[in-house]
């Protein structure tokens, strides 16, 4: 993807671009703060598998959020991870990252995108619903700590 400077729906000017290896430290800081369950090696592996699917948002030269997409064997997109630095939440960055992800998947003629989200994570669920995701299932004990996941899917 070509880097794009844009204003979020909340008026924050951000740069959206592909992840580069030098971003890994910041990405892992944001990921750890957000209590996602990935690890560094897995992120690097996913990046190597599909570099375009790893997208970051930057403000003043600092990475403040990221999303990682993977392609499933059924040729659907999957949002593997999405997180925004807590100091920059609520400013439209998550929404902008998802929009960039959908545009990328559409360019690859992918028809659906799906994801899993913790049942307790109302903020993320609200964001996904507002972007057209619908609930398609429920997986008990999906996360390491035993929490269940909601499955959500969207037509692109
Ligand atoms: C979920 C997350 C990525 C959203 O990113 P964000 O940049 O804060 O989200 P946005 O500012 O783009 O908000 C988009 C929507 O999310 C919802 N939302 C955001 N903050 C919210 C809050 N504090 N309370 C309720 N809803 C909220 C709203 O529906 C909002 O819509 P709006 O634009 O009409 O206000 C961010 O909260 C985060 O990193 N959370 C921790 C990691 C996580 O949960 N990742 C998702 C795992 S599936």
């Amino acid at each position: 993807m070509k880097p794009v400077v844009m204003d979020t729906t909340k008026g924050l000017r951000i740069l959206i671009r592909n992840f580069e290896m030098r971003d890994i430290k910041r990405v892992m800081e944001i990921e750890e703060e957000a209590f996602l369950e990935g690890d560094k090696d897995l992120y690097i592996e996913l990046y190597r598998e599909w570099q375009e699917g790893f997208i970051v948002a930057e403000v003043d030269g600092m990475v403040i959020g990221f999303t990682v997409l993977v392609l499933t064997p059924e040729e659907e997109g999957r949002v593997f991870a999405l997180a925004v630095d807590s100091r920059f939440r609520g400013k439209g960055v998550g929404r902008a990252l998802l929009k960039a992800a959908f545009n990328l998947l559409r360019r690859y003629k992918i028809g659906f995108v799906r994801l899993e989200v913790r049942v307790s994570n109302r903020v993320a669920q609200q964001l996904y619903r507002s972007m057209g995701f619908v609930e398609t299932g429920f997986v008990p004990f999906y996360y390491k700590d035993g929490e269940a996941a909601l499955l959500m899917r969207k037509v692109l």
Side-chain angles (χ1 to χ4, degrees):
M1 125 183 349
K2 261 179 48 192
V4 192
V5 176
M6 58 167 292
D7 291 329
T8 68
T9 50
K10 301 284 169 68
L12 181 68
R13 182 145 298 185
I14 58 173
L15 172 72
I16 296 271
R17 61 167 174 83
N18 276 126
F19 170 86
E20 294 170 18
M21 277 309 293
R22 65 182 160 94
D23 301 320
I24 192 69
K25 188 161 172 279
R26 268 302 288 152
V27 162
M28 293 317 297
E29 281 169 10
I30 296 167
E31 127 99 33
E32 277 155 27
E33 183 195 36
F35 299 112
L36 302 184
E37 287 185 344
D39 65 57
K40 186 172 156 185
D41 292 344
L42 178 58
Y43 280 102
I44 292 172
E45 191 183 316
L46 294 177
Y47 169 65
R48 297 217 162 106
E49 267 171 33
W50 191 28
Q51 301 200 356
E52 276 194 284
F54 201 147
I55 301 169
V56 302
E58 199 181 285
V59 168
D60 295 333
M62 179 173 78
V63 171
I64 55 147
F66 68 93
T67 189
V68 181
L69 297 173
V70 296
L71 295 174
T72 71
E74 303 80 33
E75 301 200 341
E76 292 188 2
R78 175 174 166 224
V79 181
F80 174 80
L82 170 71
V84 173
D85 179 325
S86 61
R87 293 167 294 179
F88 290 88
R89 288 184 194 158
K91 297 180 190 298
V93 178
R95 192 179 287 283
L97 283 165
L98 284 175
K99 270 189 203 148
F102 301 160
N103 287 339
L104 173 69
L105 292 170
R106 290 188 189 107
R107 281 215 307 280
Y108 279 81
K109 311 270 186 256
I110 304 286
F112 294 92
V113 57
R114 65 180 175 81
L115 54 81
E116 302 82 35
V117 56
R118 285 179 181 269
V119 285
S120 64
N121 193 348
R122 301 286 170 179
V123 169
Q125 289 166 33
Q126 178 59 33
L127 167 61
Y128 298 141
R129 286 201 183 90
S130 76
M131 298 201 78
F133 280 89
V134 292
E135 228 175 284
T136 55
F138 174 87
V139 187
F141 306 108
Y142 181 82
Y143 295 96
K144 284 183 199 143
D145 61 5
E147 189 171 346
L150 288 185
L151 306 183
M152 302 186 90
R153 194 159 184 257
K154 171 188 163 67
V155 180
L156 285 165

